[in-house]
Amino acid sequence: MVEVLNDLLGYDGLKIIQRPDMFNFSLDSTLLADFANPLTKTKKILDLGTGNAPIPLFLSLKTKAKIIGVEIQKDVFQIAQKNITINNLQDQIEIINDDINGIHKKYENSEFDLITCNPPFFKYKETSNVNKNDYKTIARHEVLITLEQIIIESKRLLKTGSNLCMVHRTERIQEIINLLTKHNFAIKRLRFVYPKLGENSNMVLIEASNNGNTGLKLLEPLYVHTEDGYTDEIKRIFNYGKEGTDDSTKKLYK
């Protein structure tokens, strides 16, 4: 299968290899990387379900912390490794080919300062009309991992007071809140994402603190489009000037 080399949005010097048959990086990954907030004291970051490693690449622009990406699909993992190599980030970013389920066994408890995850958005049922081995199905549906399993693994790996940052579908917000509360995460920041003004939110960005204190900040809405294209905030996240956009970003959706 042909591999395609693209610029990573508007960031000069960062490249990303993608394959048309695989799930490529999307708007949600980009927004999550922008939303995540590594601190000066952040030393170690884990990205669960890293895909071809867009989130580690984006995070390398805002932190010097060690970043580890976990990807279960071997072909996708190999492309992620190539992406780290072509950007000369091997000293900062490591990609491992493993299952998120049980990943805590590879590391010490409370080893990480920040975990990011762009998880499968959709629940899987036996009646679901999907190919369980398809690259895109695994990325989109909870075939190999569930939301609760991700939260449980994160719980074991995060230091007390450290954050899990996720992007998910707004329609599942009640379930997300219930599961985070069940496992003693305190939601610290929520930001709802809207396709455009006047439409319903379709995504939500969540920051939750492991064993953290209560104190939720509901951030201002994030609008993706205007009638004329991307909003100024989205252009800033993509690192574009206010003039125009780029065709390669027109379908950055799951």
Side-chain angles (χ1 to χ4, degrees):
M1 179 60 66
V2 175
E3 295 177 354
V4 179
L5 180 65
N6 298 120
D7 291 324
L8 193 67
L9 299 179
Y11 294 93
D12 293 338
L14 277 183
K15 303 288 184 180
I16 189 164
I17 297 170
Q18 308 199 88
R19 261 176 45 180
D21 62 320
M22 292 180 178
F23 176 72
N24 294 322
F25 88 91
S26 52
L27 177 69
D28 27 314
S29 292
T30 310
L31 297 185
L32 176 59
D34 181 73
F35 178 76
N37 187 30
L39 305 175
T40 304
K41 65 180 181 180
T42 300
K43 302 301 180 187
K44 206 164 187 180
I45 299 171
L46 186 66
D47 182 45
L48 298 176
T50 200
N52 56 3
I55 292 173
L57 291 176
F58 281 121
L59 288 177
S60 74
L61 297 167
K62 57 200 294 191
T63 181
K64 298 297 184 185
K66 173 74 174 178
I67 305 168
I68 298 171
V70 181
E71 175 53 49
I72 192 171
Q73 300 183 84
K74 189 167 185 180
D75 290 353
V76 182
F77 152 76
Q78 290 171 341
I79 289 182
Q81 281 192 314
K82 290 181 184 179
N83 284 328
I84 304 312
T85 301
I86 63 172
N87 289 291
N88 297 311
L89 288 167
Q90 304 95 311
D91 290 342
Q92 183 181 10
I93 302 173
E94 176 188 2
I95 308 297
I96 64 172
N97 182 206
D98 213 330
D99 193 343
I100 296 172
N101 247 335
I103 195 65
H104 69 276
K105 297 174 186 176
K106 276 187 173 287
Y107 301 100
E108 299 290 335
N109 285 347
S110 307
E111 184 165 340
F112 290 91
D113 303 295
L114 173 65
I115 292 178
T116 55
C117 186
N118 178 7
F121 281 171
F122 305 106
K123 290 192 174 185
Y124 173 75
K125 301 177 182 177
E126 289 300 324
T127 55
S128 299
N129 184 24
V130 296
N131 178 349
K132 292 203 299 185
N133 296 317
D134 178 73
Y135 295 118
K136 295 177 181 178
T137 295
I138 290 170
R140 291 185 176 121
H141 293 80
E142 293 181 345
V143 175
L144 301 181
I145 191 81
T146 66
L147 175 60
E148 184 164 21
Q149 288 167 332
I150 288 168
I151 291 171
I152 289 170
E153 291 295 328
S154 299
K155 177 79 179 174
R156 289 173 162 173
L157 290 165
L158 279 170
K159 295 175 182 175
T160 293
S162 293
N163 294 327
L164 168 63
C165 287
M166 293 191 299
V167 58
H168 220 297
R169 298 286 292 185
T170 305
E171 65 198 39
R172 293 186 67 180
I173 187 62
Q174 186 62 60
E175 177 190 4
I176 294 166
I177 291 171
N178 289 343
L179 287 173
L180 288 169
T181 302
K182 174 182 174 181
H183 295 286
N184 205 26
F185 279 88
I187 299 176
K188 306 300 286 187
R189 291 191 297 150
L190 274 181
R191 191 172 195 192
F192 290 96
V193 181
Y194 298 78
K196 62 174 60 174
L197 187 66
E199 296 187 2
N200 291 330
S201 169
N202 61 347
M203 287 193 293
V204 60
L205 296 159
I206 305 143
E207 179 186 79
S209 175
N210 181 29
N211 299 323
N213 298 321
T214 57
L216 168 65
K217 290 182 179 179
L218 184 60
L219 305 182
E220 64 183 54
L222 174 56
Y223 297 102
V224 176
H225 293 101
T226 66
E227 295 300 324
D228 301 319
Y230 287 119
T231 61
D232 285 346
E233 183 168 11
I234 293 296
K235 290 177 186 177
R236 175 195 64 76
I237 292 170
F238 290 172
N239 205 35
Y240 291 154
K242 292 187 178 181
E243 298 299 323
T245 58
D246 183 308
D247 288 342
S248 66
T249 66
K250 287 184 178 177
K251 294 183 178 179
L252 286 180
Y253 278 102
K254 277 189 177 177

